[in-house]
Amino acid sequence: MQKISQFLLSSLMVGFFWVCTTVSVVSSPDAKTWGNVFRNSYVLALPINLAGYCINKPNRSKQWRKVKTRGKVRITGIGAVVDTNYVTTSHKNLRAVGIRVIPYVISKKQNKPLFLIPEIPRKIAGIQKRFNEFYPACTPKYNNLARGEDDITYYPLVLLNVDDEKNRDVLVKYLRKLPQQNDLQNRDFLKNPIKVSSVSTVGKLIEKVFSQKQATFLAGLPFDVGVKLIDETTHKPMQFVIKSTAPLQSESGDSVVPEPEFDETLWAIEILKEEKRGLVKKLERTERLLKWLEKQIAQLKTNQRETKIVELEAENAELKAQVKQLTNELAAAKSLCETLHDIFRLDPE
């Protein structure tokens, strides 16, 4: 618990910068470098077959199979979810988190999401054969077939980008705390499925989803997150930014560098001003993160998750102590500045 709190405070005090327009995105040359079986460009180009087959799993079988349907699966909408069981990081990219996107269609007959599942071929002599199409699950019951540790690496990779390594670690912890069952609401990219009657390829489906620029599962984070779909064949991949729900106001003014002709007293004043501004910024950031933790506590209380409540309340108490300490430091800096009131009248803030 103490380590978690120290990490959060550390991420707050060192480089917890707020971006008001965009998050710089670091590209990756190939989805396979993040553990995927195939390049994203290959998977995105694959067709979605709704015309005669679906995927299920016979009783007592370890393998699922493709079975014939009585007709075309008619759809009324599409969407995509993220699987938070398998969050990937890379030591080569300290500002990105890799996740996999599972596309789905809404069946007109069942009026429920059916995950799109590849018919994963068997390995022959250690070589992984390619697959050629995605098929819908026969019923929502078989959606979980798309969520195995090995199977998820057949799905398109998306990178979530933040502004520093510490925010990346906060993001990883946040994703892993999301519900990891079949709760679509907490893992969906969309507030509501897109009303579409037909889709041709995985790439076209995800393009429609990404055009909404939502990624609802990222709502509530205290920093901006860039969302980027890797496509190795284009220099303009699909990407957008999810803004923090309550970002801090932009901080005005750059660091003041005294001119050479300033005497030592004026130099000391400028240093004190910088310290004062720094304390104000730290205090604002601490209070913002404190509010976020309090919100998480309220949500956990609603779900009656008492164990997590104890952990977050301990973090909350430590952050409150940090706010008090920063407030005292700010007051001390202000008091020291005011003792030089004669000079301040010559150089007002």
Side-chain angles (χ1 to χ4, degrees):
M1 175 56 59
Q2 185 178 3
K3 291 182 179 179
I4 294 175
S5 178
Q6 289 176 348
F7 166 73
L8 288 173
L9 289 174
S10 173
S11 67
L12 171 70
M13 298 305 172
V14 183
F16 203 106
F17 297 107
W18 293 85
V19 181
C20 297
T21 56
T22 185
V23 172
S24 60
V25 179
V26 180
S27 62
S28 175
D30 195 333
K32 293 178 68 175
T33 65
W34 289 77
N36 273 27
V37 176
F38 299 114
R39 293 162 61 93
N40 263 15
S41 56
Y42 173 75
V43 177
L44 295 174
L46 293 179
I48 297 171
N49 189 331
L50 303 173
Y53 293 93
C54 63
I55 301 292
N56 73 4
K57 182 179 180 181
N59 293 334
R60 300 180 180 179
S61 173
K62 295 182 179 180
Q63 301 289 334
W64 62 69
R65 65 180 183 183
K66 178 177 69 175
V67 299
K68 290 185 177 181
T69 60
R70 296 181 179 180
K72 182 177 180 178
V73 177
R74 301 189 180 278
I75 66 172
T76 59
I78 61 171
V81 299
V82 57
D83 193 313
T84 55
N85 282 296
Y86 311 108
V87 179
T88 306
T89 57
S90 170
H91 68 278
K92 295 182 180 179
N93 190 333
L94 301 181
R95 296 187 296 152
V97 176
I99 58 174
R100 275 77 179 196
V101 176
I102 304 175
Y104 65 79
V105 297
I106 303 293
S107 165
K108 183 177 181 180
K109 179 179 179 180
Q110 302 180 66
N111 197 30
K112 291 182 179 180
L114 300 175
F115 285 4
L116 296 177
I117 303 174
E119 185 188 22
I120 299 175
R122 296 180 180 179
K123 290 183 179 180
I124 299 179
I127 300 175
Q128 181 66 61
K129 293 181 63 178
R130 295 196 170 203
F131 61 98
N132 299 316
E133 293 179 307
F134 275 78
Y135 304 91
C138 292
T139 68
K141 171 184 176 182
Y142 297 110
N143 282 345
N144 61 354
L145 296 180
R147 307 187 66 238
E149 182 176 0
D150 296 327
D151 309 324
I152 198 65
T153 58
Y154 286 83
Y155 285 89
L157 174 77
V158 167
L159 291 187
L160 304 180
N161 297 279
V162 293
D163 56 8
D164 58 44
E165 181 181 0
K166 292 180 172 61
N167 282 352
R168 183 199 70 171
D169 293 339
V170 172
L171 176 60
V172 169
K173 292 178 182 293
Y174 173 81
L175 291 173
R176 288 175 176 167
K177 287 181 180 179
L178 292 177
Q180 297 182 348
Q181 302 302 318
N182 290 326
D183 186 354
L184 300 184
Q185 182 179 1
N186 291 283
R187 299 189 292 110
D188 210 319
F189 275 85
L190 305 171
K191 294 179 181 178
N192 298 294
I194 303 173
K195 294 183 178 180
V196 174
S197 59
S198 64
V199 284
S200 56
T201 66
V202 174
K204 293 294 184 182
L205 186 155
I206 294 181
E207 182 177 359
K208 291 180 183 293
V209 172
F210 271 47
S211 68
Q212 306 300 303
K213 299 181 179 181
Q214 293 182 10
T216 58
F217 61 94
L218 296 174
L221 285 167
F223 46 79
D224 299 346
V225 181
V227 182
K228 176 185 176 183
L229 178 67
I230 293 177
D231 188 340
E232 297 85 353
T233 62
T234 178
H235 295 292
K236 294 183 178 180
M238 292 181 281
Q239 57 187 317
F240 56 91
V241 175
I242 296 298
K243 305 292 292 179
S244 172
T245 53
L248 290 174
Q249 295 181 351
S250 61
E251 299 164 348
S252 60
D254 298 327
S255 298
V256 178
V257 179
E259 296 295 331
E261 63 269 24
F262 278 16
D263 61 23
E264 293 182 0
T265 304
L266 293 177
W267 179 277
I269 290 173
E270 293 302 326
I271 292 176
L272 288 171
K273 289 179 180 179
E274 283 299 298
E275 291 179 353
K276 178 181 177 181
R277 277 191 286 267
L279 288 170
V280 169
K281 293 175 183 178
K282 289 179 181 179
L283 183 60
E284 289 175 345
R285 292 165 184 162
T286 303
E287 290 175 338
R288 179 67 195 98
L289 188 54
L290 178 61
K291 291 180 181 179
W292 181 65
L293 286 172
E294 289 174 341
K295 182 179 178 181
Q296 298 299 308
I297 291 173
Q299 292 176 348
L300 290 175
K301 286 181 178 179
T302 301
N303 295 331
Q304 297 181 347
R305 296 169 65 178
E306 299 298 337
T307 302
K308 296 296 182 182
I309 291 173
V310 172
E311 294 178 359
L312 287 174
E313 284 180 341
E315 294 175 8
N316 192 350
E318 293 189 22
L319 282 172
K320 286 182 177 178
Q322 183 67 23
V323 170
K324 183 177 179 181
Q325 179 183 349
L326 288 172
T327 303
N328 292 338
E329 292 179 8
L330 178 61
K334 182 177 180 182
S335 176
L336 186 55
C337 287
E338 290 175 349
T339 60
L340 302 174
H341 57 85
D342 291 336
I343 297 177
F344 276 168
R345 284 199 296 271
L346 296 176
D347 182 37
E349 283 191 287

